[in-house]
Amino acid sequence: GDSHTLALGDDGTVYGWGTFRNSSGPMGFMVGTKVARAPVALVGPAARPPTDAVVDVVSGVDHVLALTAGGQVLTWGCPEKGRLGRMRKQDADTQDKEEVKALLPQSLTPTALDLGGRVPTAVGAGAFCSFLVCGNEVLAFGLNNYSQLGIELGDGKGVLQEGREVYTPVRVDSLSGKGVAALDGGEHHTLALTKAGRVLAMGRPTYGRLGRPDVDPESDEPVWAPGAVPDVEGAVVVFAGLSTSAAVAGDGRCWTWGSNTSMQLGKSGSAPNADEDEHTPFLLKGGKRMQGKRVTSVSFGGQHSALVAVAGGGGDDANGGGARKRARA
């Protein structure tokens, strides 16, 4: 996250340290602790009291979702704009310091969502929003100012229309029934990975972060309808940065697209237009350093990126493999 870090242990315990922030500044990490300077067991078998094991955990800028082995989704952190999916608008968005303090036990305590009997199989997070996969349904909540939830705004355009925040989990009709297995979100865009290995994108189109030739990368109008990202085949995991995107295939290939102002897409510095944005997926070619290796994971920072590669790839154009991270099939 922006000011916190999480780790998931082999036994299903989530450890964390740092702090959470709201629009007014630091709000605390847990009840009674402003900043955790060392790892703390938050949920799972090693927590006090112990809880059900966690099988996956994801973070936005200042909020967390954890999927338990028993099929619950716990959320905690900053509640603003509905990203926790369980607090009233007036409570989630209050800026009154005394009210925020009084609500800390509600916002900072990992608490299960009421999903009405649905059984989640995956969780995903954008910077200020959240996603759940429940069978063939996709649920979402949080900030939707660029239609990053896949939900159309009031008139289909503009960022100040009705529907720009969602405070409880709602069904996303545009994604449900499409075989979505996992999702990952950036600041204002979202990538959805299907069981068939296709990648769908929606949200803010600037810098080419959606990777779609059917939308204008110079436009700042929200794109609410998910559309296919071309040229990506057999994807098993997707990653979204602030204004960047990536997908890794099961055979090890890795594609990146979006903003490249700081060379964060991994293009060779000697390549033509090396520092220009990529509006559609660019297949990474790592040169000698990547030869014989396959990419297993990608992570984006604000202006930089990193990847994990292991031995066993097929050469320059086959850099990937059994990917493991946030949004995976």
Side-chain angles (χ1 to χ4, degrees):
D2 180 63
S3 302
H4 71 280
T5 303
L6 298 174
L8 178 59
D10 290 340
D11 67 344
T13 297
V14 175
Y15 298 87
W17 57 99
T19 194
F20 294 109
R21 302 173 64 91
N22 62 14
S23 297
S24 300
M27 57 184 292
F29 188 66
M30 51 196 300
V31 177
T33 302
K34 195 74 171 180
V35 178
R37 303 185 183 278
V40 179
L42 300 171
V43 291
R48 294 293 178 267
T51 66
D52 195 13
V54 172
V55 297
D56 197 13
V57 62
V58 295
S59 279
V61 168
D62 281 294
H63 76 291
V64 181
L65 291 87
L67 175 63
T68 73
Q72 288 188 314
V73 174
L74 312 177
T75 66
W76 69 96
C78 175
E80 290 178 348
K81 308 305 180 186
R83 69 192 86 173
L84 298 188
R86 55 179 175 78
M87 293 178 65
R88 300 178 305 168
K89 174 180 171 62
Q90 58 265 43
D91 293 336
D93 293 344
T94 182
Q95 296 300 305
D96 182 274
K97 291 184 178 180
E98 291 305 314
E99 291 181 358
V100 169
K101 183 177 180 180
L103 289 165
L104 287 180
Q106 187 175 350
S107 56
L108 297 184
T109 302
T111 304
L113 295 175
D114 180 2
L115 300 178
R118 295 181 177 94
V119 180
T121 55
V123 291
F128 311 107
C129 61
S130 307
F131 297 92
L132 312 176
V133 178
C134 301
N136 210 25
E137 282 188 302
V138 174
L139 308 182
F141 45 96
L143 186 64
N144 189 49
N145 59 337
Y146 279 95
S147 292
Q148 57 265 50
L149 299 186
I151 298 172
E152 187 174 14
L153 294 171
D155 61 0
K157 60 183 179 179
V159 299
L160 297 176
Q161 305 301 317
E162 182 179 355
R164 66 192 306 268
E165 295 106 14
V166 178
Y167 288 84
T168 57
V170 298
R171 185 181 192 270
V172 182
D173 292 336
S174 66
L175 289 170
S176 297
K178 294 189 175 180
V180 172
L183 303 102
D184 196 23
E187 184 177 29
H188 294 129
H189 77 294
T190 302
L191 303 177
L193 175 65
T194 73
K195 296 174 184 176
R198 298 173 63 236
V199 179
L200 309 176
M202 71 220 80
R204 192 176 190 178
T206 50
Y207 305 111
R209 73 190 82 185
L210 299 186
R212 293 169 47 180
D214 62 323
V215 300
D216 181 4
E218 303 299 324
S219 170
D220 203 34
E221 294 293 338
V223 177
W224 72 269
V229 178
D231 304 323
V232 176
E233 304 169 346
V236 295
V237 61
V238 291
F239 307 89
L242 293 180
S243 54
T244 51
S245 303
V248 174
D251 63 6
R253 291 169 295 165
C254 179
W255 296 266
T256 61
W257 61 95
S259 175
N260 193 45
T261 53
S262 299
M263 305 289 288
Q264 61 265 53
L265 297 185
K267 297 163 63 176
S268 170
S270 61
N273 306 318
D275 61 348
E276 291 190 1
D277 299 341
E278 288 290 337
H279 298 161
T280 55
F282 168 81
L283 180 62
L284 281 184
K285 299 179 181 180
K288 292 182 178 179
R289 292 182 179 180
M290 291 289 292
Q291 191 164 5
K293 294 182 174 63
R294 51 192 176 89
V295 176
T296 61
S297 185
V298 178
S299 182
F300 291 111
Q303 301 296 327
H304 73 287
S305 58
L307 60 80
V308 176
V310 299
D316 259 7
D317 295 334
N319 303 322
R324 184 187 187 280
K325 195 181 178 284
R326 290 163 57 152
R328 56 187 184 274

